[in-house]
Amino acid sequence: MQVYVIRRLIQSIPTLFGITLISFLMMLAAPGDPVTLITFNPTATAEGTAQLRRQLGLDQPPLVQYVYWLIGNDWVKIDVDGDGVGDVYGTRHGFLRGDLGQSLQHKRSVLDLIVERVPATLKLTLTSLIVGYVVGIPLGILSAIRSRTWFDQVTRVFSVVGNAIPAFWLALLMIIVFSVNLGWLPMSGMRDITRPDASGLDQIRYMIMPVFVLALGIIATVSRYMRAEVMEVLGQDYVRTARAKGLQNRTIVVHHVLRNALIPIAALLGPALGSLLGGAVIIEQVFAWPGMGRLVVNGVFQRDYPLIMGSVVLGAVLYILGVLFSDILYAWIDPRIRLE
Amino acid sequence: MSADARVLVLDDEEQFHKSRSFWMDAVRHFRRDRLSMLSLAVLLLLTLACFFGPPIVEKVLHVDVSRTDLIHRNLPPGEGGLLGTDQLGRDHLIRLLYGGQVSLAVAYLASLVSITIGVVVGIVTAYYGGVVDDAVMWFINTLESVPTIFLLLIAATIWSPSAQVLILILGALGWVTTCRLVRGQVLSLKANEFMLAARAIGARDWWMMLSHIFPNTISLVVISLTINAGSLILVESGLSYLGLGVQPPTPTWGNMLTEARSYFVQGTHLVIWPGLLISLTVLCFYLVGDGLRDALDPRSVRGR
């Protein structure tokens, strides 16, 4: 088991390296000069911008820029005044030491900005994930056990339709019905900013619609997957043996079917955990939810490259960790995997 | 039963089997699948309506896609044209049709692009294996671990998209899943004896790939093509919603929704129709894909 975990950890290093490379190349290919974005000042002199460019390391060749981004530049002297002699040490620590650079738009550390926004996003996505699995798994199981009944039919139709409806459209419709017409639920935001004393219960009202919309897609996928798994296990010989022994249906389902059918769900969990940060970008936009998604979308419109790159890399790291976690979980509950 | 009769029956049966190739069998199966046939019909109808409908509608209803009429804004269906008018007084029906042209074309073509890349890369890397395969798998793993929406956001900012660019972007980012599937298929095909036989009679690499491997991946390709087209419509509409898709005034179902969200109190119908069409199209693509999978996968139980 330890060997397996270590092997998987080592395997993820090249992937991580690739992600930094891809996002760096994309940023390099992006149009627009960061210096003009920072200064945005008609009175800026050519000399001043050139100095700023040297300070930011933008005069260096791409490979050097990449190395600086990766491991920082506090070990080299920067030639600020352009006379070919290094003047002061750099201030960046680099990605590998937890420094994602400065946001051009906010003039603050990218990591701080992201860390501020993560709780709001997690509140939304984690809740949806839990709701999705808690509803989706039983739905799929029941649908398989009662296959070809009306319940099964309804569940299957629901799971296809649930995947086909654009989530943001459903969100818009819900806003029209529940916020505009009925006035039951708040239209957007995370809490009532005019009432600092609002209780937790009050905040839940803000979560109902976004969580419902996000969970719907998860329920659709999970229930469909679960149904297929249970159907497959129900056809296995050991289930027939259990029936032949005269075991009760309930015992067969709980002890023989579910144990085996739930294993592959672990594989589904990895990507789901990995997309916790990026999974709600559009829905956050619809409900004006102050999370990661809005931060990134605004960054994109402002061409705030360090911010975008930092979010991409962090999102990818989370994805790798999620997949790693689910692989290890998988290997832990299913010994056949780690013996391969 | 006499001996003669039995021979006759056997003959018949043989005839029966001979006359049904794999593909004919699949078509037969698909045609019996009423839900899939219905979805296919709806898709065809929608496509035809969007690509050939506009001139007819313009003639019959005397509307024009770009004519604005600020006095008759946000009229509900019935009062202003068949499906009402939008926030600039443009006819909603004709814009939906033109929007469908762009949305469907993006979906079909982007799906085609991504499948082509996926199949070619999948076949070539899996066939040769070795370092090439390792490198491509590393690239795929990397691409897969970045949340797709982030990649799309960046790509959409770098190359602010027209429909053509959007097709390329979506195609270039969507081939990974297909490539994985094809690669798996090819790896299992490589172990077959007919490959060895072909090699023994002196087949070259390109001939092996083109005539022995590729035909065996076609069912996979057809299924992926359909499912992909469905999800691409969703992706396109999502990107448009964020304001990063095809830019107005060119209508797509996605950016029509974006425009409509600011006016949903005055014109609820503007929100309902594009979304309904997106959902219907995606649903049909998924159902056709499911039907194809049932029909083309020999392992699935026929006639269920």
Side-chain angles (χ1 to χ4, degrees), chain A residues 14-15 17-19 22 26 29-31 148 160-161 163-166 168-169 172-173 175-176 180 224 278 281-282 285-286 292 296-297 300-301 303 308 311-312 315-316 319-320, chain B residues 138-139 141-147 149-151 153-155 157-158 234 237-239 241-244 257 261 264-265 268 271-272 275-276 278-279 282-283 286-287 290 293 304:
Chain A
T15 314
F17 173 72
I19 290 158
I22 286 183
M26 278 186 129
R148 297 183 207 191
V160 186
V161 173
N163 269 330
I165 294 180
F168 65 91
W169 180 59
L172 279 177
L173 291 185
I175 290 177
I176 292 176
V180 179
R224 188 182 170 142
V281 171
I282 299 176
Q285 203 70 13
V286 178
M292 271 288 286
V296 177
V297 171
V300 163
F301 279 115
R303 301 193 179 259
I308 302 170
S311 322
V312 167
Y319 186 91
I320 293 175
Chain B
W138 167 76
F139 187 68
N141 278 331
T142 306
L143 212 56
E144 256 183 351
S145 28
V146 185
I149 185 80
F150 285 176
L151 277 181
L153 286 176
I154 300 175
T157 5
I158 297 181
L234 282 181
S237 67
L239 264 188
Y241 186 84
L242 294 177
L244 290 163
L257 267 180
R261 84 185 147 165
F264 63 59
V265 179
T268 312
V271 177
I272 291 177
L276 213 57
I278 294 174
S279 308
V282 178
L283 184 64
Y286 283 173
L287 289 175
D290 273 359
R293 184 177 294 141
R304 248 201 305 201

Side-chain angles (χ1 to χ4, degrees), chain A residues 65-233:
Chain A
Q65 285 192 40
Y66 177 68
V67 171
Y68 282 179
W69 183 83
L70 207 58
I71 57 176
N73 62 354
D74 52 355
W75 45 278
V76 284
K77 277 194 166 175
I78 301 175
D79 170 26
V80 178
D81 46 15
D83 56 3
V85 187
D87 303 308
V88 288
Y89 283 106
T91 52
R92 279 150 57 188
H93 301 294
F95 166 69
L96 290 179
R97 286 186 280 163
D99 178 9
L100 293 175
Q102 292 273 316
S103 153
L104 301 182
Q105 174 195 6
H106 302 273
K107 311 259 191 294
R108 287 179 53 202
S109 151
V110 167
L111 192 65
D112 287 353
L113 279 168
I114 294 176
V115 167
E116 266 171 25
R117 296 299 193 97
V118 165
T121 294
L122 284 187
K123 193 173 159 189
L124 208 59
T125 48
L126 209 56
T127 316
S128 323
L129 194 68
I130 293 168
V131 172
Y133 273 74
V134 167
V135 178
I137 289 179
L139 212 58
I141 295 171
L142 281 178
S143 174
I145 293 175
R146 311 218 168 121
S147 79
R148 297 183 207 191
T149 61
W150 65 268
F151 180 81
D152 182 33
Q153 299 292 350
V154 170
T155 311
R156 286 172 72 187
V157 169
F158 162 80
S159 70
V160 186
V161 173
N163 269 330
I165 294 180
F168 65 91
W169 180 59
L170 191 65
L172 279 177
L173 291 185
M174 286 186 79
I175 290 177
I176 292 176
V177 173
F178 293 106
S179 305
V180 179
N181 291 346
L182 296 172
W184 289 354
L185 294 169
M187 186 182 277
S188 63
M190 194 162 75
R191 59 169 168 266
D192 191 345
I193 47 168
T194 60
R195 287 175 52 202
D197 58 326
S199 63
L201 204 67
D202 199 55
Q203 290 190 24
I204 289 181
R205 291 180 59 232
Y206 285 84
M207 288 177 65
I208 293 177
M209 283 198 290
V211 166
F212 177 84
V213 171
L214 284 171
L216 198 70
I218 302 176
I219 295 173
T221 313
V222 170
S223 68
R224 188 182 170 142
Y225 202 79
M226 199 64 212
R227 179 182 182 275
E229 289 302 331
V230 173
M231 290 289 271
E232 183 163 348
V233 176

Side-chain angles (χ1 to χ4, degrees), chain B residues 21-86:
Chain B
S21 71
F22 171 74
W23 289 104
M24 288 170 75
D25 210 22
V27 169
R28 224 173 96 101
H29 184 272
F30 190 83
R31 282 176 56 175
R32 279 199 195 146
D33 186 351
R34 266 176 296 174
L35 188 59
S36 305
M37 282 304 281
L38 181 69
S39 315
L40 189 65
V42 173
L43 268 186
L44 282 178
L45 216 63
L46 266 175
T47 312
L48 286 178
C50 288
F51 283 92
F52 300 105
I56 305 170
V57 174
E58 277 172 347
K59 271 264 165 33
V60 174
L61 296 176
H62 306 291
V63 289
D64 182 75
V65 66
S66 51
R67 192 182 63 208
T68 56
D69 181 356
L70 292 180
I71 295 172
H72 300 108
R73 277 179 305 177
N74 298 322
L75 288 179
E79 276 177 53
L82 228 45
L83 293 180
T85 57
D86 72 357

Side-chain angles (χ1 to χ4, degrees), chain A residues 238-247 252:
Chain A
Y238 55 78
V239 173
R240 196 181 308 150
T241 310
R243 281 201 204 289
K245 281 200 304 188
L247 289 183
I252 296 174

